[in-house]
């Protein structure tokens, strides 16, 4: 190695040149510190670099550089570590040292959150390590990468295997936390492990998923598992997280439903009520008591609930009533599903009391759709989104929500462009401005002025860097914006895909209009063609004069709320499980019901569900 390069690396070490700031690590991917090249810590990086310069053989030189890189990593000096690793000639390393070299490369890739590279570097390498601590570190890195990519089942299995080589490096709670996140699709084609420890862990979660999907007795499932795996480490997990199911429980029979059935919001309240009635037909053992929140004061509602002592409560629907009832009833004996967003929590005492009263929250909020869109566009490998939104407080808030969520994803370009409008004329100018046509026209005008009498043939060009457009407005706004977008994009440029929210899908009042052609939109499953309960939807729409798809979405929420309420506490323990409801694939995270929507396209005179969409919410969505 040239002396000048060694000197530069020594200066690099002495200067303590740090790495680029890291993005926050996903909660489910903790680093496990395991000794690697422990002899490296005996000297400073500068000492190892100096030894590399004086080494008598290529093998000794490369090994000294390897120790320098390891020391830099132990000091969290990642940039210097990368500089040294780049100078190592792996062909001169002994097989054992070559494996250490790959492990150090994988650790640096993990620091950079290059998860695919981590897995590639360690593929088929783990079993080649002879030291137990080294094998544990390789498994820890693979688990970290898998969890960051949403492969929670793989991550959990690697953590379980890691325990075999370093028993104190992984807590059972960390394995459970990964298994909680496993979605149903990751269990498909899953082959039961040969070893009893892995089999016990996976069998527990798999059986709980089956129990929830068939709405059968959870207590029987847990008791059967405990008898099958009497000495399994997950026994403590079952006793801690499912203690309520191991005790004798009375069947759920009485539910109170709090809705505005008269007054200004009666239309919305009655839509939710109709949905709950549809669900009651599927659960004849339940008896429902409906309380009109428009005619009953919050204090009186609280007194009525105390007298009724229901097994569960659904509602109220209006945000201010949610907060008022939470303030009125700091504790409750029943599971309570509020049909609106969770109010902002104050100090830790408020958060604790909220958890203690088994309060859950279910909202058809537009923010969910915006985050859904950001996740889908990222997973479809779009990189430069452009949003159009009304110039209102809500429109600006939705753009902010998309931008914040987009920047939490591992995107190469965190910037999100946005255009706002108030009038139809604003729409046209906003589209032209944000697609770069106005700048192009200005350049053409400047060229023509400079050319004088020379005839210049030119056509305005739209921006080439925007690769997808998302519209946050309603159907009327989408029908106006889409033609502006179509005519603004240069005829020789590729069409830019246009996505929108369910607000663009209004049912029977214009879904066939060509202005919406090829717009892709998110929607609840019930309102898409070929849904198994589509005929039920058509019947409800005919019976309720004046109903539109906005009412049908509320009915779907009421239906799902009543069916989910008896399972909420179990669902909270398995946030990876998703209930296939009318309003989406639903799971519970941090006491909030989250919706995974479906996607469809306006195609000429019909709505066509989009095929091949393997969308899953990003891991960051599971944090609030």
């Amino acid at each position: 190695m040239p002396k000048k390069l060694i000197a530069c690396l020594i200066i690099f070490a002495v200067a303590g040149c740090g790495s680029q700031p890291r993005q926050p690590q996903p909660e489910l991917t903790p680093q496990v510190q395991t000794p690697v090249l422990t002899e490296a810590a005996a000297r400073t990086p500068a000492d190892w670099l100096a030894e590399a310069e004086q080494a008598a053989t290529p093998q000794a030189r490369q090994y000294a550089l390897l120790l320098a890189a390891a020391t830099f990593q132990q000091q969290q000096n990642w940039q210097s570590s990368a500089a040294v690793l780049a100078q190592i000639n792996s062909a001169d390393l002994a097989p054992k040292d070559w494996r250490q070299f790959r492990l150090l490369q994988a650790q640096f890739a993990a620091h950079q959150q290059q998860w695919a590279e981590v897995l590639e570097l360690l593929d088929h390498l783990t079993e080649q390590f002879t030291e137990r601590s080294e094998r544990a570190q390789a498994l820890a890195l693979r688990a970290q990468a898998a969890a960051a990519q949403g492969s929670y089942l793989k991550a959990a299995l690697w953590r379980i295997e890691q325990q075999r080589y370093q028993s104190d490096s992984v807590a059972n709670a960390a394995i459970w936390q990964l298994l909680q996140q496993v979605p149903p699709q990751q269990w498909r084609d899953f082959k039961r492990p040969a070893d009893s420890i892995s089999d016990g862990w996976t069998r527990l979660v798999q059986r709980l998923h089956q129990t929830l999907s068939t709405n059968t007795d959870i207590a029987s499932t847990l008791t059967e598992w405990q008898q099958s795996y009497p000495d399994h480490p997950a026994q403590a997990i079952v006793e801690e997280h499912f203690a309520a199911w191991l005790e004798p429980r009375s069947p759920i029979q009485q539910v109170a439903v709090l809705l505005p059935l008269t007054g200004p919001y009666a239309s919305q309240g009655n839509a939710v009520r109709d949905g709950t009635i549809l669900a009651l037909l599927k659960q004849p053992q339940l008896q429902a008591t409906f309380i009109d929140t428009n005619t009953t004061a919050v204090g009186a509602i609280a007194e009525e609930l105390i007298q009724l002592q229901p097994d569960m409560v659904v509602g109220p629907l209006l945000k201010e009533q949610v907060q008022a009832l939470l303030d009125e009833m700091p504790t409750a004996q029943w599971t309570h599903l509020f049909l609106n967003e969770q109010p902002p929590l104050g100090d830790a005492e408020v958060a604790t009391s909220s958890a203690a009263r088994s309060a859950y929250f279910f909202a058809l909020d537009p923010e969910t759709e915006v985050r859904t869109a950001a996740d889908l566009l990222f997973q479809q490998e779009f990189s430069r989104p452009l949003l159009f939104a009304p110039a209102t407080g809500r429109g600006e808030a939705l753009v902010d929500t998309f931008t914040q969520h987009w920047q939490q994803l591992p995107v190469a370009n965190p910037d999100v462009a946005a255009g706002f409008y108030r009038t139809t004329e604003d729409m046209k100018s906003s589209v032209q401005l944000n697609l770069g046509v106005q700048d192009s026209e200005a350049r053409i005008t400047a060229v023509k002025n400079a050319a004088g009498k020379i005839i210049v043939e030119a056509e305005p060009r739209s921006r080439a860097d925007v690769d997808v457009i998302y519209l946050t407005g309603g159907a009327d706004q989408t029908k106006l914006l889409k033609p502006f977008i179509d005519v603004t994009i240069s005829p020789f440029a590729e069409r830019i895909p246009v996505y929108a929210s369910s607000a663009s899908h209004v049912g029977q009042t214009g879904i066939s209009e060509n202005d919406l052609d090829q717009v892709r939109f998110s929607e609840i499953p019930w309102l898409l063609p070929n849904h198994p309960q589509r005929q039920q939807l058509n019947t409800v729409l005919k019976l309720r004069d004046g109903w539109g798809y906005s009412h049908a979405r509320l009915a779907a929420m009421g239906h799902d709320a009543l069916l989910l309420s008896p399972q909420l506490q179990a669902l909270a323990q398995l946030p990876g499980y998703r209930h296939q409801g009318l309003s989406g694939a639903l799971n519970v995270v941090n006491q909030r019901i989250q919706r995974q929507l479906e996607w469809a396209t306006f195609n000429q005179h019909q709505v066509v569900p989009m095929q091949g969409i393997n969308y899953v919410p990003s891991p960051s969505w599971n944090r609030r």
Side-chain angles (χ1 to χ4, degrees), residues 284-295:
Q285 79 280 6
L286 287 182
Q287 296 181 348
T289 300
F290 291 91
I291 300 175
D292 186 355
T293 58
N294 186 60
T295 59

Side-chain angles (χ1 to χ4, degrees), residues 340-367:
N340 211 304
E341 297 174 0
Q342 181 177 1
L345 295 176
D347 54 25
E349 182 180 356
V350 174
T352 302
S353 64
S354 176
R357 48 175 184 258
S358 298
Y360 299 84
F361 302 87
F362 185 13
L364 299 183
D365 55 309
E367 288 79 9

